[in-house]
Amino acid sequence: MTGDTTGGQTTAAALDDVLRSAGRAADAAAESDPRTRARWLRAVADALDAAAPALLPLAGRESHLPEARLAGELARTTAQLRLFAAVALEGSCLEVTIDHPDPAGVPPVPDLRRMLVPLGVVAVFAASNFPFAFSVAGGDTASALAVGNAVVVKAHPGHPELSRATAEVVRSALEGAGAPPGLFALVEGFETGTALVEHPAVRAVGFTGSVPGGRALFDRAARRPDPIPFHGELGSLNPVVVTPGALAARGADLAAGLAASFTLGAGQFCTKPGLVAVPASPEFDAALVAAVPPEPGEMLTPGIRAGFDARAAQVLGTAGVRLLTGHPSGGTGTDAAPAPVGPLVVDADVATVLAAPQALLEETFGPLTVLVRYADRAELAALLAALPGSLTATVHAEDAEDVDALVRACRAVAGRVLFDGWPTGVAVSWAQHHGGPYPATTSQHTSVGATATRRWLRPVAYQDAPQHRLPPPLRDDDPWGVVRRVDGVLQVPGPGAREG
């Protein structure tokens, strides 16, 4: 279902209708078994694969991204839908735990059975930079459906036609797979987004976007009469540290890797390396300048281009900052086609950065990176201590170097610590974590990978309940065949018990 819209804005009456339907669907989905949920997700994945010839041209027109990138992103989207089907079937995401009575315990233990249950209706705000993987049918939607929630997506204005087309594919696939009506819906409009966060039917929010926009919605979620979880991915600097040993051993390779990473997708990745701590080196500078592609990159929207220009001007206007390569220019283009933008590399010393954190320690969404020259370990430690929370932190070092303190400092500010690699590119897997201290995210949970489901669940314990009153996975016969911990011992059913 897609709410009725007027001028790209879902009406208030239509939003109420959507949420009433979603509430009924959420009640039904909460009682569904993992095999059913897995079937829903696989049906959506198959339908999106089949719709690729129609969806990819739409995505290209609205996002200005190349077809090869979009095709890969759509494949990632359907792969993560299938991953969450597997997550639903395996069942450990429900944290099913059973303690049988122990009268000799201190104090005595009654029959206690605990599991995580779905929250209900989840609101998802689609992102601008991934029109498939972080949008209508992206990871937030997939992970919420996998554990029995209903989803209402607020479309991103950067790709409205694609959003509507994708939503229709998802809705039709769910209907064909027997999902309850209203389990998924799309709504549109700035004011609709605010109303969605404040609506009493919504029990949690997933958001990917800017710090100002995300923080405004986060605050509204917290100010509700009944505050709800707001899982926002906002801004990330993604610091990289190059040690003296790594610089001496492979400086040219590191320069090439950095150039490829910070310009990938015109720097419009949430994991773009925005700050690189590196000792002064004319050789490294020359290699980096040579490796940075001279051709400009396409920006997603004129608004994003304007934001990049404003941030670049702020960075370049900071005393002590030097432009190493690139040619900043104004002009955002037209509504239909934002002006391309060339990559920028600037450098500064640690003292300059610490004196101007608002200019130099905030994310610039686009192809700009800041080289920070450190003279010794003390300067590096001072820099790392001043960094805001990030999704990633990267260490390039040689095996013989003592970097234990450096790794601890990186762990303190990031949710994923990389070694001798580059942060752009986020695998969708069981072990992935895509989150970090604020402002990277507003919660401790990941938005990518199997444990993304944890955002849409809450714990409930049943005490001394008759077997027939318990949810299926808490009963002794475990009809769902999920992973459980019984009297402290983990029990993993055989594969046959979890086949969907």
Side-chain angles (χ1 to χ4, degrees):
M1 178 177 181
T2 300
D4 292 336
T5 61
T6 302
Q9 175 85 27
T10 299
T11 65
L15 180 63
D16 283 339
D17 288 344
V18 163
L19 288 170
R20 275 194 294 270
S21 181
R24 292 190 293 268
D27 290 342
E31 303 303 317
S32 62
D33 61 68
R35 294 171 184 81
T36 298
R37 298 171 191 170
R39 185 175 70 251
W40 295 343
L41 293 172
R42 289 169 177 163
V44 173
D46 291 345
L48 288 171
D49 282 338
L55 295 178
L56 290 175
L58 266 179
R61 285 199 301 272
E62 291 190 315
S63 70
H64 316 290
L65 294 170
E67 183 176 351
R69 148 76 194 270
L70 291 167
E73 188 187 325
L74 181 56
R76 166 186 170 153
T77 303
T78 58
Q80 69 187 2
L81 283 159
R82 295 183 178 101
L83 170 68
F84 282 112
V87 169
L89 287 170
E90 190 261 0
S92 64
C93 60
L94 302 179
E95 296 183 11
V96 177
T97 308
I98 297 173
D99 289 333
H100 288 107
D102 181 6
V106 182
V109 179
D111 187 279
L112 282 171
R113 304 183 182 225
R114 174 188 181 274
M115 66 178 291
L116 303 184
V117 300
L119 294 178
V121 179
V122 168
V124 170
F125 283 71
S128 64
N129 58 335
F130 283 87
F132 289 116
F134 281 81
S135 190
V136 172
D140 286 354
T141 296
S143 59
L145 292 175
V147 289
N149 296 279
V151 175
V152 177
V153 175
K154 206 290 282 186
H156 194 280
H159 44 268
E161 290 186 37
L162 175 66
S163 297
R164 294 167 197 145
T166 304
E168 179 54 31
V169 172
V170 174
R171 187 205 60 77
S172 179
L174 288 172
E175 179 183 313
L183 187 67
F184 169 88
L186 181 79
V187 296
E188 301 181 56
F190 179 84
E191 294 176 3
T192 302
T194 301
L196 198 56
V197 171
E198 295 177 336
H199 201 286
V202 172
R203 307 315 307 159
V205 179
F207 174 90
T208 302
S210 69
V211 173
R215 184 55 193 259
L217 293 174
F218 173 75
D219 290 344
R220 286 182 179 271
R223 287 198 303 265
R224 285 172 45 138
D226 56 337
I228 58 173
F230 183 93
H231 301 288
E233 182 192 323
L234 309 184
S236 185
L237 200 58
N238 304 306
V240 176
V241 178
V242 177
T243 65
L247 183 64
R250 45 198 165 91
D253 289 341
L254 292 173
L258 172 58
S261 185
F262 94 88
T263 63
L264 183 66
Q268 298 169 109
F269 279 52
C270 54
T271 51
K272 181 208 72 177
L275 181 145
V276 182
V278 58
S281 168
E283 294 80 13
F284 178 82
D285 292 355
L288 179 58
V289 169
V292 171
E295 62 273 7
E298 295 286 344
M299 302 298 278
L300 292 160
T301 68
I304 289 174
R305 173 60 201 270
F308 175 80
D309 285 343
R311 278 289 298 139
Q314 183 182 17
V315 170
L316 289 166
T318 303
V321 170
R322 176 176 68 109
L323 178 63
L324 189 65
T325 187
H327 302 282
S329 60
T332 59
T334 67
D335 289 341
V341 62
L344 300 172
V345 179
V346 303
D347 73 350
D349 59 24
V350 172
T352 295
V353 173
L354 297 182
Q358 289 188 326
L360 302 179
L361 293 182
E362 292 186 4
E363 179 188 38
T364 300
F365 194 68
L368 181 150
T369 195
V370 180
L371 304 185
V372 184
R373 312 299 191 172
Y374 68 93
D376 52 34
R377 290 193 177 193
E379 279 200 346
L380 178 58
L383 173 66
L384 295 176
L387 294 180
S390 278
L391 296 168
T392 71
T394 302
V395 176
H396 288 278
E398 294 298 288
D399 288 343
E401 292 181 291
D402 179 4
V403 294
D404 289 348
L406 170 58
V407 172
R408 287 193 296 271
C410 289
R411 185 181 67 185
V413 299
R416 179 164 55 110
V417 180
L418 294 83
F419 295 84
D420 299 323
W422 297 100
T424 37
V426 184
V428 182
S429 70
W430 288 84
Q432 185 60 272
H433 183 79
H434 190 64
Y438 186 86
T441 51
T442 60
S443 75
Q444 63 183 346
H445 300 294
T446 183
S447 62
V448 178
T451 56
T453 56
R454 188 61 182 83
R455 299 170 297 167
W456 321 122
L457 296 162
R458 66 180 182 88
V460 174
Y462 295 79
Q463 183 169 325
D464 293 329
Q467 286 286 309
H468 67 284
R469 302 294 186 194
L470 290 166
L474 291 178
R475 298 172 192 165
D476 288 341
D477 60 352
D478 185 19
W480 284 7
V482 298
V483 174
R484 310 195 300 178
R485 186 174 295 277
V486 180
D487 296 327
V489 178
L490 192 67
Q491 296 183 349
V492 182
R498 301 195 302 273
E499 290 178 356

mmCIF file of all heavy atoms in Angstrom, residues 295-340:
data_model
loop_
_atom_site.group_PDB
_atom_site.id
_atom_site.type_symbol
_atom_site.label_atom_id
_atom_site.label_comp_id
_atom_site.label_asym_id
_atom_site.label_seq_id
_atom_site.Cartn_x
_atom_site.Cartn_y
_atom_site.Cartn_z
ATOM 1 N N GLU A 295 39.107 13.612 -13.195
ATOM 2 C CA GLU A 295 37.750 13.862 -13.674
ATOM 3 C C GLU A 295 36.799 14.051 -12.492
ATOM 4 O O GLU A 295 36.918 13.396 -11.456
ATOM 5 C CB GLU A 295 37.252 12.718 -14.562
ATOM 6 C CG GLU A 295 37.153 11.371 -13.885
ATOM 7 C CD GLU A 295 38.468 10.595 -13.932
ATOM 8 O OE1 GLU A 295 39.471 11.173 -14.380
ATOM 9 O OE2 GLU A 295 38.459 9.416 -13.511
ATOM 10 N N PRO A 296 35.831 14.958 -12.625
ATOM 11 C CA PRO A 296 34.866 15.187 -11.552
ATOM 12 C C PRO A 296 33.887 14.036 -11.427
ATOM 13 O O PRO A 296 33.679 13.262 -12.366
ATOM 14 C CB PRO A 296 34.158 16.474 -11.983
ATOM 15 C CG PRO A 296 34.288 16.493 -13.471
ATOM 16 C CD PRO A 296 35.615 15.848 -13.782
ATOM 17 N N GLY A 297 33.300 13.907 -10.243
ATOM 18 C CA GLY A 297 32.314 12.864 -10.008
ATOM 19 C C GLY A 297 30.912 13.426 -9.953
ATOM 20 O O GLY A 297 30.701 14.599 -9.653
ATOM 21 N N GLU A 298 29.934 12.567 -10.244
ATOM 22 C CA GLU A 298 28.534 12.981 -10.228
ATOM 23 C C GLU A 298 28.003 12.980 -8.794
ATOM 24 O O GLU A 298 28.178 12.030 -8.056
ATOM 25 C CB GLU A 298 27.691 12.020 -11.074
ATOM 26 C CG GLU A 298 28.032 12.033 -12.550
ATOM 27 C CD GLU A 298 27.509 13.282 -13.244
ATOM 28 O OE1 GLU A 298 26.641 13.955 -12.661
ATOM 29 O OE2 GLU A 298 27.951 13.557 -14.371
ATOM 30 N N MET A 299 27.346 14.062 -8.426
ATOM 31 C CA MET A 299 26.695 14.132 -7.131
ATOM 32 C C MET A 299 25.248 13.662 -7.261
ATOM 33 O O MET A 299 24.646 13.719 -8.340
ATOM 34 C CB MET A 299 26.746 15.554 -6.576
ATOM 35 C CG MET A 299 28.153 16.115 -6.426
ATOM 36 S SD MET A 299 29.193 15.175 -5.275
ATOM 37 C CE MET A 299 28.655 15.871 -3.709
ATOM 38 N N LEU A 300 24.683 13.207 -6.140
ATOM 39 C CA LEU A 300 23.357 12.614 -6.184
ATOM 40 C C LEU A 300 22.259 13.641 -6.413
ATOM 41 O O LEU A 300 21.317 13.403 -7.175
ATOM 42 C CB LEU A 300 23.096 11.856 -4.877
ATOM 43 C CG LEU A 300 23.956 10.602 -4.683
ATOM 44 C CD1 LEU A 300 24.005 10.211 -3.219
ATOM 45 C CD2 LEU A 300 23.430 9.458 -5.529
ATOM 46 N N THR A 301 22.352 14.774 -5.729
ATOM 47 C CA THR A 301 21.318 15.799 -5.838
ATOM 48 C C THR A 301 21.971 17.177 -5.762
ATOM 49 O O THR A 301 23.071 17.329 -5.223
ATOM 50 C CB THR A 301 20.279 15.696 -4.708
ATOM 51 O OG1 THR A 301 20.903 16.042 -3.463
ATOM 52 C CG2 THR A 301 19.685 14.297 -4.607
ATOM 53 N N PRO A 302 21.286 18.206 -6.274
ATOM 54 C CA PRO A 302 21.812 19.567 -6.113
ATOM 55 C C PRO A 302 21.989 19.956 -4.651
ATOM 56 O O PRO A 302 22.921 20.682 -4.297
ATOM 57 C CB PRO A 302 20.758 20.429 -6.802
ATOM 58 C CG PRO A 302 20.114 19.524 -7.801
ATOM 59 C CD PRO A 302 20.087 18.175 -7.144
ATOM 60 N N GLY A 303 21.099 19.489 -3.779
ATOM 61 C CA GLY A 303 21.227 19.802 -2.364
ATOM 62 C C GLY A 303 22.485 19.218 -1.754
ATOM 63 O O GLY A 303 23.159 19.874 -0.942
ATOM 64 N N ILE A 304 22.834 18.003 -2.139
ATOM 65 C CA ILE A 304 24.063 17.390 -1.644
ATOM 66 C C ILE A 304 25.272 18.142 -2.173
ATOM 67 O O ILE A 304 26.251 18.379 -1.457
ATOM 68 C CB ILE A 304 24.104 15.898 -2.032
ATOM 69 C CG1 ILE A 304 23.065 15.122 -1.213
ATOM 70 C CG2 ILE A 304 25.493 15.307 -1.812
ATOM 71 C CD1 ILE A 304 22.910 13.677 -1.617
ATOM 72 N N ARG A 305 25.193 18.562 -3.453
ATOM 73 C CA ARG A 305 26.291 19.336 -4.026
ATOM 74 C C ARG A 305 26.458 20.668 -3.280
ATOM 75 O O ARG A 305 27.579 21.098 -2.979
ATOM 76 C CB ARG A 305 26.053 19.587 -5.513
ATOM 77 C CG ARG A 305 27.077 20.541 -6.164
ATOM 78 C CD ARG A 305 28.510 19.975 -6.056
ATOM 79 N NE ARG A 305 29.504 21.021 -6.190
ATOM 80 C CZ ARG A 305 30.042 21.408 -7.349
ATOM 81 N NH1 ARG A 305 29.687 20.833 -8.477
ATOM 82 N NH2 ARG A 305 30.950 22.351 -7.367
ATOM 83 N N ALA A 306 25.363 21.322 -2.976
ATOM 84 C CA ALA A 306 25.437 22.588 -2.255
ATOM 85 C C ALA A 306 26.025 22.386 -0.864
ATOM 86 O O ALA A 306 26.833 23.199 -0.383
ATOM 87 C CB ALA A 306 24.047 23.223 -2.159
ATOM 88 N N GLY A 307 25.634 21.298 -0.215
ATOM 89 C CA GLY A 307 26.188 20.995 1.099
ATOM 90 C C GLY A 307 27.678 20.737 1.046
ATOM 91 O O GLY A 307 28.434 21.166 1.930
ATOM 92 N N PHE A 308 28.115 20.044 -0.008
ATOM 93 C CA PHE A 308 29.546 19.793 -0.168
ATOM 94 C C PHE A 308 30.306 21.099 -0.372
ATOM 95 O O PHE A 308 31.363 21.322 0.229
ATOM 96 C CB PHE A 308 29.782 18.864 -1.359
ATOM 97 C CG PHE A 308 31.241 18.653 -1.662
ATOM 98 C CD1 PHE A 308 32.005 17.764 -0.924
ATOM 99 C CD2 PHE A 308 31.867 19.372 -2.683
ATOM 100 C CE1 PHE A 308 33.352 17.582 -1.193
ATOM 101 C CE2 PHE A 308 33.212 19.201 -2.955
ATOM 102 C CZ PHE A 308 33.961 18.299 -2.210
ATOM 103 N N ASP A 309 29.792 21.965 -1.216
ATOM 104 C CA ASP A 309 30.466 23.241 -1.456
ATOM 105 C C ASP A 309 30.596 24.050 -0.174
ATOM 106 O O ASP A 309 31.631 24.668 0.091
ATOM 107 C CB ASP A 309 29.698 24.049 -2.499
ATOM 108 C CG ASP A 309 29.879 23.518 -3.917
ATOM 109 O OD1 ASP A 309 30.828 22.745 -4.140
ATOM 110 O OD2 ASP A 309 29.069 23.879 -4.792
ATOM 111 N N ALA A 310 29.539 24.049 0.641
ATOM 112 C CA ALA A 310 29.580 24.811 1.893
ATOM 113 C C ALA A 310 30.622 24.241 2.849
ATOM 114 O O ALA A 310 31.393 24.982 3.485
ATOM 115 C CB ALA A 310 28.200 24.814 2.542
ATOM 116 N N ARG A 311 30.659 22.916 2.966
ATOM 117 C CA ARG A 311 31.641 22.300 3.857
ATOM 118 C C ARG A 311 33.060 22.508 3.336
ATOM 119 O O ARG A 311 33.988 22.794 4.102
ATOM 120 C CB ARG A 311 31.360 20.806 3.994
ATOM 121 C CG ARG A 311 30.283 20.466 4.990
ATOM 122 C CD ARG A 311 30.733 20.691 6.438
ATOM 123 N NE ARG A 311 31.858 19.823 6.776
ATOM 124 C CZ ARG A 311 32.908 20.197 7.494
ATOM 125 N NH1 ARG A 311 33.005 21.438 7.929
ATOM 126 N NH2 ARG A 311 33.876 19.349 7.759
ATOM 127 N N ALA A 312 33.264 22.375 2.019
ATOM 128 C CA ALA A 312 34.599 22.574 1.449
ATOM 129 C C ALA A 312 35.084 23.992 1.701
ATOM 130 O O ALA A 312 36.257 24.223 2.046
ATOM 131 C CB ALA A 312 34.586 22.266 -0.042
ATOM 132 N N ALA A 313 34.193 24.949 1.565
ATOM 133 C CA ALA A 313 34.571 26.338 1.818
ATOM 134 C C ALA A 313 34.946 26.543 3.273
ATOM 135 O O ALA A 313 35.901 27.280 3.603
ATOM 136 C CB ALA A 313 33.426 27.270 1.439
ATOM 137 N N GLN A 314 34.223 25.894 4.180
ATOM 138 C CA GLN A 314 34.539 26.012 5.600
ATOM 139 C C GLN A 314 35.909 25.409 5.909
ATOM 140 O O GLN A 314 36.714 25.996 6.638
ATOM 141 C CB GLN A 314 33.468 25.316 6.435
ATOM 142 C CG GLN A 314 33.671 25.453 7.945
ATOM 143 C CD GLN A 314 32.609 24.714 8.743
ATOM 144 O OE1 GLN A 314 31.905 23.840 8.215
ATOM 145 N NE2 GLN A 314 32.487 25.045 10.019
ATOM 146 N N VAL A 315 36.177 24.239 5.336
ATOM 147 C CA VAL A 315 37.473 23.587 5.565
ATOM 148 C C VAL A 315 38.605 24.442 5.002
ATOM 149 O O VAL A 315 39.606 24.720 5.679
ATOM 150 C CB VAL A 315 37.475 22.175 4.938
ATOM 151 C CG1 VAL A 315 38.878 21.586 4.949
ATOM 152 C CG2 VAL A 315 36.503 21.265 5.681
ATOM 153 N N LEU A 316 38.455 24.871 3.759
ATOM 154 C CA LEU A 316 39.519 25.639 3.109
ATOM 155 C C LEU A 316 39.695 27.018 3.719
ATOM 156 O O LEU A 316 40.784 27.610 3.626
ATOM 157 C CB LEU A 316 39.225 25.758 1.619
ATOM 158 C CG LEU A 316 39.379 24.456 0.824
ATOM 159 C CD1 LEU A 316 38.736 24.595 -0.551
ATOM 160 C CD2 LEU A 316 40.844 24.088 0.691
ATOM 161 N N GLY A 317 38.674 27.530 4.366
ATOM 162 C CA GLY A 317 38.773 28.836 4.997
ATOM 163 C C GLY A 317 39.350 28.803 6.393
ATOM 164 O O GLY A 317 39.477 29.853 7.041
ATOM 165 N N THR A 318 39.737 27.623 6.865
ATOM 166 C CA THR A 318 40.299 27.493 8.206
ATOM 167 C C THR A 318 41.783 27.830 8.195
ATOM 168 O O THR A 318 42.538 27.312 7.361
ATOM 169 C CB THR A 318 40.092 26.061 8.725
ATOM 170 O OG1 THR A 318 38.698 25.748 8.708
ATOM 171 C CG2 THR A 318 40.628 25.913 10.143
ATOM 172 N N ALA A 319 42.196 28.679 9.093
ATOM 173 C CA ALA A 319 43.608 29.071 9.174
ATOM 174 C C ALA A 319 44.489 27.851 9.402
ATOM 175 O O ALA A 319 44.206 27.016 10.260
ATOM 176 C CB ALA A 319 43.806 30.078 10.313
ATOM 177 N N GLY A 320 45.537 27.750 8.613
ATOM 178 C CA GLY A 320 46.473 26.640 8.745
ATOM 179 C C GLY A 320 46.203 25.481 7.830
ATOM 180 O O GLY A 320 46.986 24.528 7.774
ATOM 181 N N VAL A 321 45.095 25.523 7.083
ATOM 182 C CA VAL A 321 44.750 24.445 6.148
ATOM 183 C C VAL A 321 45.306 24.778 4.771
ATOM 184 O O VAL A 321 45.175 25.907 4.286
ATOM 185 C CB VAL A 321 43.225 24.255 6.073
ATOM 186 C CG1 VAL A 321 42.858 23.304 4.931
ATOM 187 C CG2 VAL A 321 42.706 23.716 7.394
ATOM 188 N N ARG A 322 45.925 23.772 4.144
ATOM 189 C CA ARG A 322 46.514 23.963 2.821
ATOM 190 C C ARG A 322 45.847 23.034 1.825
ATOM 191 O O ARG A 322 45.593 21.864 2.109
ATOM 192 C CB ARG A 322 48.019 23.650 2.886
ATOM 193 C CG ARG A 322 48.752 23.720 1.539
ATOM 194 C CD ARG A 322 50.247 23.481 1.740
ATOM 195 N NE ARG A 322 50.551 22.121 2.150
ATOM 196 C CZ ARG A 322 51.149 21.206 1.367
ATOM 197 N NH1 ARG A 322 51.485 21.522 0.129
ATOM 198 N NH2 ARG A 322 51.404 20.003 1.830
ATOM 199 N N LEU A 323 45.535 23.547 0.645
ATOM 200 C CA LEU A 323 44.979 22.720 -0.424
ATOM 201 C C LEU A 323 46.122 21.981 -1.110
ATOM 202 O O LEU A 323 47.015 22.579 -1.685
ATOM 203 C CB LEU A 323 44.236 23.591 -1.437
ATOM 204 C CG LEU A 323 43.629 22.865 -2.645
ATOM 205 C CD1 LEU A 323 42.559 21.870 -2.203
ATOM 206 C CD2 LEU A 323 43.044 23.869 -3.625
ATOM 207 N N LEU A 324 46.063 20.644 -1.043
ATOM 208 C CA LEU A 324 47.117 19.839 -1.645
ATOM 209 C C LEU A 324 46.825 19.557 -3.119
ATOM 210 O O LEU A 324 47.713 19.617 -3.970
ATOM 211 C CB LEU A 324 47.272 18.522 -0.883
ATOM 212 C CG LEU A 324 48.471 17.649 -1.247
ATOM 213 C CD1 LEU A 324 49.778 18.353 -0.882
ATOM 214 C CD2 LEU A 324 48.377 16.298 -0.526
ATOM 215 N N THR A 325 45.572 19.249 -3.411
ATOM 216 C CA THR A 325 45.191 19.029 -4.801
ATOM 217 C C THR A 325 43.700 19.225 -4.956
ATOM 218 O O THR A 325 42.931 19.036 -4.020
ATOM 219 C CB THR A 325 45.578 17.613 -5.284
ATOM 220 O OG1 THR A 325 45.348 17.502 -6.690
ATOM 221 C CG2 THR A 325 44.784 16.531 -4.575
ATOM 222 N N GLY A 326 43.291 19.634 -6.157
ATOM 223 C CA GLY A 326 41.882 19.851 -6.446
ATOM 224 C C GLY A 326 41.595 21.306 -6.727
ATOM 225 O O GLY A 326 42.404 22.193 -6.444
ATOM 226 N N HIS A 327 40.444 21.549 -7.308
ATOM 227 C CA HIS A 327 40.039 22.897 -7.692
ATOM 228 C C HIS A 327 38.604 23.117 -7.240
ATOM 229 O O HIS A 327 37.663 22.781 -7.962
ATOM 230 C CB HIS A 327 40.153 23.092 -9.209
ATOM 231 C CG HIS A 327 41.526 22.839 -9.719
ATOM 232 N ND1 HIS A 327 42.551 23.750 -9.593
ATOM 233 C CD2 HIS A 327 42.060 21.754 -10.347
ATOM 234 C CE1 HIS A 327 43.656 23.249 -10.128
ATOM 235 N NE2 HIS A 327 43.378 22.044 -10.594
ATOM 236 N N PRO A 328 38.402 23.665 -6.041
ATOM 237 C CA PRO A 328 37.040 23.900 -5.572
ATOM 238 C C PRO A 328 36.315 24.880 -6.470
ATOM 239 O O PRO A 328 36.901 25.835 -6.975
ATOM 240 C CB PRO A 328 37.248 24.486 -4.170
ATOM 241 C CG PRO A 328 38.633 25.046 -4.189
ATOM 242 C CD PRO A 328 39.419 24.157 -5.105
ATOM 243 N N SER A 329 35.031 24.618 -6.682
ATOM 244 C CA SER A 329 34.248 25.499 -7.535
ATOM 245 C C SER A 329 32.818 25.521 -7.045
ATOM 246 O O SER A 329 32.350 24.590 -6.394
ATOM 247 C CB SER A 329 34.287 25.024 -8.992
ATOM 248 O OG SER A 329 33.755 23.722 -9.109
ATOM 249 N N GLY A 330 32.097 26.560 -7.357
ATOM 250 C CA GLY A 330 30.707 26.684 -6.970
ATOM 251 C C GLY A 330 29.795 26.185 -8.066
ATOM 252 O O GLY A 330 30.226 25.701 -9.108
ATOM 253 N N GLY A 331 28.503 26.345 -7.866
ATOM 254 C CA GLY A 331 27.523 25.956 -8.878
ATOM 255 C C GLY A 331 26.983 24.582 -8.628
ATOM 256 O O GLY A 331 27.697 23.594 -8.705
ATOM 257 N N THR A 332 25.715 24.473 -8.270
ATOM 258 C CA THR A 332 25.131 23.182 -7.932
ATOM 259 C C THR A 332 24.478 22.497 -9.118
ATOM 260 O O THR A 332 24.006 21.379 -9.005
ATOM 261 C CB THR A 332 24.077 23.354 -6.823
ATOM 262 O OG1 THR A 332 23.068 24.245 -7.292
ATOM 263 C CG2 THR A 332 24.707 23.900 -5.567
ATOM 264 N N GLY A 333 24.412 23.151 -10.268
ATOM 265 C CA GLY A 333 23.756 22.557 -11.424
ATOM 266 C C GLY A 333 22.273 22.857 -11.417
ATOM 267 O O GLY A 333 21.815 23.842 -10.863
ATOM 268 N N THR A 334 21.497 21.961 -12.011
ATOM 269 C CA THR A 334 20.047 22.128 -12.102
ATOM 270 C C THR A 334 19.351 21.104 -11.213
ATOM 271 O O THR A 334 19.976 20.195 -10.672
ATOM 272 C CB THR A 334 19.585 21.929 -13.550
ATOM 273 O OG1 THR A 334 19.789 20.549 -13.917
ATOM 274 C CG2 THR A 334 20.366 22.822 -14.496
ATOM 275 N N ASP A 335 18.037 21.250 -11.103
ATOM 276 C CA ASP A 335 17.285 20.272 -10.321
ATOM 277 C C ASP A 335 17.410 18.877 -10.912
ATOM 278 O O ASP A 335 17.377 17.879 -10.198
ATOM 279 C CB ASP A 335 15.800 20.671 -10.276
ATOM 280 C CG ASP A 335 15.574 21.902 -9.414
ATOM 281 O OD1 ASP A 335 16.462 22.211 -8.602
ATOM 282 O OD2 ASP A 335 14.521 22.542 -9.565
ATOM 283 N N ALA A 336 17.543 18.800 -12.224
ATOM 284 C CA ALA A 336 17.611 17.495 -12.880
ATOM 285 C C ALA A 336 19.018 16.915 -12.859
ATOM 286 O O ALA A 336 19.193 15.702 -12.867
ATOM 287 C CB ALA A 336 17.128 17.616 -14.322
ATOM 288 N N ALA A 337 20.036 17.741 -12.835
ATOM 289 C CA ALA A 337 21.406 17.243 -12.944
ATOM 290 C C ALA A 337 22.348 18.134 -12.139
ATOM 291 O O ALA A 337 22.720 19.206 -12.607
ATOM 292 C CB ALA A 337 21.844 17.193 -14.409
ATOM 293 N N PRO A 338 22.726 17.712 -10.941
ATOM 294 C CA PRO A 338 23.683 18.499 -10.174
ATOM 295 C C PRO A 338 25.037 18.532 -10.856
ATOM 296 O O PRO A 338 25.420 17.595 -11.561
ATOM 297 C CB PRO A 338 23.760 17.746 -8.834
ATOM 298 C CG PRO A 338 23.298 16.365 -9.151
ATOM 299 C CD PRO A 338 22.297 16.497 -10.256
ATOM 300 N N ALA A 339 25.751 19.630 -10.669
ATOM 301 C CA ALA A 339 27.059 19.780 -11.306
ATOM 302 C C ALA A 339 28.047 18.770 -10.734
ATOM 303 O O ALA A 339 28.074 18.531 -9.531
ATOM 304 C CB ALA A 339 27.575 21.197 -11.088
ATOM 305 N N PRO A 340 28.866 18.132 -11.576
ATOM 306 C CA PRO A 340 29.915 17.250 -11.071
ATOM 307 C C PRO A 340 30.895 18.028 -10.193
ATOM 308 O O PRO A 340 31.017 19.243 -10.287
ATOM 309 C CB PRO A 340 30.591 16.735 -12.345
ATOM 310 C CG PRO A 340 29.590 16.958 -13.432
ATOM 311 C CD PRO A 340 28.847 18.199 -13.044
#
